[in-house]
Amino acid sequence: MPVTNEEIAELFESMATLLEMKGDTVFKIRAYQRAARTISHLSFSLEQAIRDDVDLKNIPGIGKAISEKTQEYLETGRVRAYEELIGELPDGVLTLMTIPGIGSKTAMLITQELGISTVEGIEKAIHEGTLAALPRMGQRTADNILRHIQSMRTKDGRTPIGQALAVAEATVSALRAECPYVEQLYPAGSLRRWEETIGDIDLVGVAPEDLQSGVGDVLVELPSVQEVLVHGPRKTSVVLEEGIQVDLRLGDADAFGAMLQYFSGSQQHNIRLREYANRRGFSLNEYGITNLASGDVARLPDEGSFYEYLGLPYIAPELRIGLNELDAAQAGALPNLVTEADLKGDLHLHSEWSDGRDPIERMIEAAVEQGYQYMALTDHSSGRGIANGLSNERLVEQMGILRDLQSQYPITILCGSEVDIRADGTLDYPDELLAELDVVVASVHSAMGQDSDTMTQRIIRAMEHPSVTIIGHASTRLLSRRQPVQFDIEALLRAARETGTAMEVNSAPERMDLKDTHAHRARELGVPLAINTDSHHFTSLGQRRFGVAIARRAWCESRHILNTLPLDQFLAYIRTPKPHRLEIFESRTDSAATVTTSTSFSNPPAAP
DNA sequence: GCCGTTTTCGGCCCGACTGTTTTCAGTCG
């Protein structure tokens, strides 16, 4: 089994926790945490990098010690230092740390004084009163821990962004209705950075100083609130019925830039930014930028002026990982990120002919409403019996209808199909039929349990087909519902490049597929990315914002995206045989090919 | 443990809130 970056990141995250237990220096703990978070955001696999003789010490935050431990883990499957730490500490400390409200000190106290190593053991100790009797504990603390344990059981982990965004927007509307004096109210945090899953919803807003705490008072009274975690003058945290935590902060209009920046994170980005600021004689917090020499505080109304004050260009929230975006910003090398407005077409749409819910005409109208120059209708192929896939005859009939409809609409209608990649890598229509289509999206919908080698070869075989334009939602994952299929992403992307096949960034918020790190690698390898919505309903075309967010997190500019090509060049692309069509993609002559300087300095972004 | 446009040694981000405390430790983000 290949070793994933996530696995290595978890190891170092655990090491940080164990060092914290041991009472080791916070800087060492932070070094492991930083390394773990960096590793989880890398676009390439560490295992592959070691095979390619890459020096891991070139990765920011990874030095000699962590590089050696990574190699040790890849070679032997274990890390001695980790095992020694585990051996030194009481059983169960890592388990107890997963309970909110229990940190390293409390976990150590509980395991040492009470010999408890399980969540169930803690519950028992709370009911028996032994937990509350510990030093610096008490009945209220014990009750809070019990509540946290109960809410852990009703909700597991993070919320997919689509769901979290809907909850955030509903909460913002409810607060606005009750507090008309709130001027700006935005989701910050991981939602604003468009991470695929959201830990909790951070809301940041502007209100007159004497009314700021009142917004928190309104929040705790909302009917959707299940539990109040924190309710102070500046900060309020609640848990909603959905099990999602909402943190609310209000600030002054003239210092809103600092507040929005502070609560947009990521934590690693902010740590790096504050280190950068310290080296230049400034200290940062949510209220402004303090000049350490004079003590003067600059209050900055928006993020653009905040970064500018530090001598940096605006760094888009999607880039604030804490990896290398600060270096790029200082070097003037930040990408001019792709935007929704750059998209010229949608290449993956379904109608009621297969498993969509709307007539073809409604889907065409929706594409026109997006301002597109072209669209491809891509209903399912015949193998998708469950999705009412089109037989050969129905596909021919549909093509005829689409050509007849063309004259009625101010958009180029392309004949397409989302054709099944069968278990052996063959496609679900005969070659002659596929050759008649303008756009073929080839996707896996079955036999998802194949081993990595089989699945990789299966998809590569589909890429080698001359008619396949795009590989659709390659991993087939459904966030928090279905795990991705196993494949070698590096091999897939290299094959995509060699065959001249584009990879889809599927915008459906439950898919977000490719994911950001894979899209990042695709861009690095020169693989065209197609941002599609896979809409099964006319209202879903707006979900492109999720796909655009993935592309932005992957540092994509307009020129990296296939469906930002203007119509004439897109037609030339699909009419040129693979793999030579890549030459058209790379020599594009539209304005997207020339990098313009970002002007998005002053305006606060639209939510999130 | 990592790192350098003052440094290869001596630094390392910052504040809110809670609960248990008579002044603050622990946790979180």
Side-chain angles (χ1 to χ4, degrees):
Chain A
M1 273 297 281
V3 177
T4 63
N5 289 356
E6 284 72 22
E7 193 177 333
I8 298 168
E10 273 173 34
L11 173 82
F12 289 133
E13 198 74 56
S14 293
M15 279 199 71
T17 307
L18 292 166
L19 290 166
E20 200 181 344
M21 300 286 177
K22 238 183 86 179
D24 215 318
T25 158
V26 293
F27 306 112
K28 193 163 160 183
I29 295 163
R30 274 223 295 269
Y32 276 103
Q33 284 172 338
R34 182 184 173 196
R37 284 158 210 182
T38 295
I39 288 168
S40 68
H41 284 108
L42 292 177
S43 64
F44 55 89
S45 118
L46 282 177
E47 192 175 40
Q48 179 74 38
I50 296 271
R51 273 203 298 270
D52 294 346
D53 242 3
V54 173
D55 186 357
L56 302 187
K57 294 201 291 297
N58 291 332
I59 301 169
I62 296 185
K64 185 163 180 287
I66 291 181
S67 168
E68 284 173 0
K69 288 184 177 68
T70 303
Q71 297 213 38
E72 183 188 352
Y73 187 69
L74 287 168
E75 282 164 17
T76 68
R78 44 195 284 242
V79 173
R80 281 178 55 97
Y82 173 79
E83 290 173 3
E84 283 167 15
L85 275 172
I86 287 274
E88 284 176 46
L89 294 162
D91 288 342
V93 281
L94 283 177
T95 310
L96 300 194
M97 281 279 288
T98 61
I99 301 168
I102 295 188
S104 57
K105 297 288 195 297
T106 311
M108 282 298 274
L109 185 70
I110 292 171
T111 51
Q112 286 179 329
E113 296 296 320
L114 303 176
I116 291 170
S117 61
T118 62
V119 177
E120 292 71 25
I122 290 201
E123 280 184 292
K124 186 156 172 279
I126 292 170
H127 290 308
E128 290 171 353
T130 50
L131 193 80
L134 289 172
R136 287 201 67 84
M137 297 291 282
Q139 197 54 51
R140 296 184 71 123
T141 305
D143 290 344
N144 282 339
I145 290 172
L146 190 59
R147 286 213 325 265
H148 283 128
I149 290 173
Q150 283 157 355
S151 60
M152 266 172 73
R153 295 221 168 97
T154 55
K155 179 174 180 301
D156 55 331
R158 300 170 66 88
T159 308
I161 186 170
Q163 194 185 336
L165 186 57
V167 172
E169 286 171 344
T171 307
V172 167
S173 301
L175 288 174
R176 280 190 177 284
E178 298 279 332
C179 310
Y181 49 85
V182 174
E183 291 165 39
Q184 311 188 63
L185 194 57
Y186 298 116
S190 52
L191 205 44
R192 184 157 179 258
R193 301 195 309 276
W194 293 90
E195 292 202 4
E196 61 191 38
T197 60
I198 304 302
D200 47 41
I201 296 170
D202 295 295
L203 298 180
V204 182
V206 167
E209 199 173 346
D210 55 331
L211 295 172
Q212 288 172 7
S213 67
V215 187
D217 298 338
V218 169
L219 176 62
V220 300
E221 292 300 327
L222 288 182
S224 56
V225 168
Q226 192 179 56
E227 185 186 346
V228 177
L229 298 173
V230 169
H231 185 36
R234 294 179 178 280
K235 177 182 174 183
T236 303
S237 294
V238 299
V239 177
L240 304 181
E241 290 160 342
E242 295 90 341
I244 302 177
Q245 182 175 330
V246 176
D247 297 338
L248 175 69
R249 296 286 299 249
L250 275 296
D252 304 335
D254 66 339
F256 188 58
M259 177 152 286
L260 184 59
Q261 196 287 323
Y262 187 97
F263 290 104
S264 292
S266 68
Q267 193 174 25
Q268 290 299 313
H269 173 82
N270 283 1
I271 289 173
R272 297 264 290 138
L273 189 65
R274 283 172 228 153
E275 287 169 352
Y276 166 91
N278 283 351
R279 288 196 295 273
R280 281 155 187 79
F282 298 109
S283 173
L284 310 182
N285 63 23
E286 61 264 58
Y287 306 109
I289 301 176
T290 306
N291 185 315
L292 291 170
S294 67
D296 293 342
V297 178
R299 295 166 63 82
L300 300 155
D302 56 67
E303 281 189 328
S305 56
F306 185 88
Y307 282 100
E308 194 177 13
Y309 196 91
L310 295 170
L312 294 168
Y314 179 74
I315 301 175
E318 294 94 331
L319 302 182
R320 299 181 198 166
I321 303 291
L323 198 53
N324 56 348
E325 69 275 9
L326 265 183
D327 301 325
Q330 289 174 74
L334 287 175
N336 186 25
L337 296 175
V338 61
T339 67
E340 285 186 59
D342 292 330
L343 295 181
K344 303 290 195 294
D346 196 328
L347 303 172
H348 189 166
L349 301 167
H350 295 273
S351 76
E352 62 188 3
W353 279 57
S354 62
D355 62 347
R357 283 171 47 193
D358 293 306
I360 292 171
E361 292 84 347
R362 193 69 196 83
M363 299 306 289
I364 299 172
E365 286 161 15
V368 172
E369 285 160 15
Q370 293 288 337
Y372 288 146
Q373 297 176 2
Y374 51 90
M375 59 157 286
L377 191 73
T378 54
D379 276 311
H380 287 287
S381 61
S382 53
R384 296 292 296 146
I386 194 170
N388 193 27
L390 275 58
S391 64
N392 299 358
E393 295 73 24
R394 287 180 74 215
L395 180 59
V396 171
E397 183 190 351
Q398 189 186 60
M399 283 194 273
I401 288 174
L402 290 176
R403 282 169 189 142
D404 289 345
L405 284 170
Q406 178 62 77
S407 62
Q408 300 172 34
Y409 294 96
I411 185 172
T412 297
I413 302 166
L414 300 169
C415 299
S417 170
E418 183 181 11
V419 61
D420 252 34
I421 304 174
R422 296 188 190 118
D424 62 358
T426 60
L427 302 176
D428 209 19
Y429 285 128
D431 291 349
E432 315 83 73
L433 195 49
L434 289 169
E436 286 186 49
L437 293 165
D438 301 308
V439 171
V440 173
V441 178
S443 307
V444 168
H445 293 106
S446 59
M448 298 183 198
Q450 290 176 334
D451 64 61
S452 178
D453 284 347
T454 308
M455 182 63 79
T456 304
Q457 289 312 311
R458 172 185 180 182
I459 298 174
I460 288 177
R461 187 169 176 194
M463 288 176 178
E464 287 165 347
H465 194 286
S467 294
V468 170
T469 323
I470 303 166
I471 297 296
H473 52 67
S475 87
T476 81
R477 72 172 181 180
L478 296 174
L479 284 172
S480 78
R481 280 201 289 145
R482 183 167 73 208
Q483 288 298 307
V485 298
Q486 302 288 312
F487 55 48
D488 180 341
I489 186 66
E490 184 74 15
L492 276 191
L493 295 176
R494 287 183 185 277
R497 172 70 198 183
E498 281 168 26
T499 58
T501 310
M503 297 295 289
E504 179 176 73
V505 172
N506 190 296
S507 307
E510 67 275 18
R511 289 193 184 271
M512 307 277 281
D513 186 5
L514 304 177
K515 67 175 177 179
D516 52 7
T517 51
H518 289 175
H520 194 104
R521 187 65 182 148
R523 177 184 57 72
E524 288 175 336
L525 292 172
V527 177
L529 291 165
I531 301 174
N532 296 329
T533 61
D534 194 2
S535 287
H536 288 68
H537 191 270
F538 78 91
T539 57
S540 301
L541 277 78
Q543 291 186 337
R544 67 184 189 180
R545 59 180 173 160
F546 294 98
V548 170
I550 296 171
R552 290 168 63 89
R553 288 175 59 83
W555 292 52
C556 286
E557 304 189 341
S558 178
R559 65 192 168 96
H560 299 119
I561 307 300
L562 177 59
N563 49 329
T564 59
L565 278 176
L567 175 64
D568 57 335
Q569 290 177 50
F570 181 74
L571 292 178
Y573 175 92
I574 58 177
R575 287 170 185 163
T576 303
K578 297 163 70 173
H580 301 292
R581 58 178 58 167
L582 286 183
E583 294 156 19
I584 293 181
F585 182 68
E586 288 174 347
S587 65
R588 57 193 305 173
T589 54
D590 60 309
S591 61
T594 57
V595 179
T596 53
T597 309
S598 171
T599 54
S600 57
F601 257 61
S602 53
N603 295 327

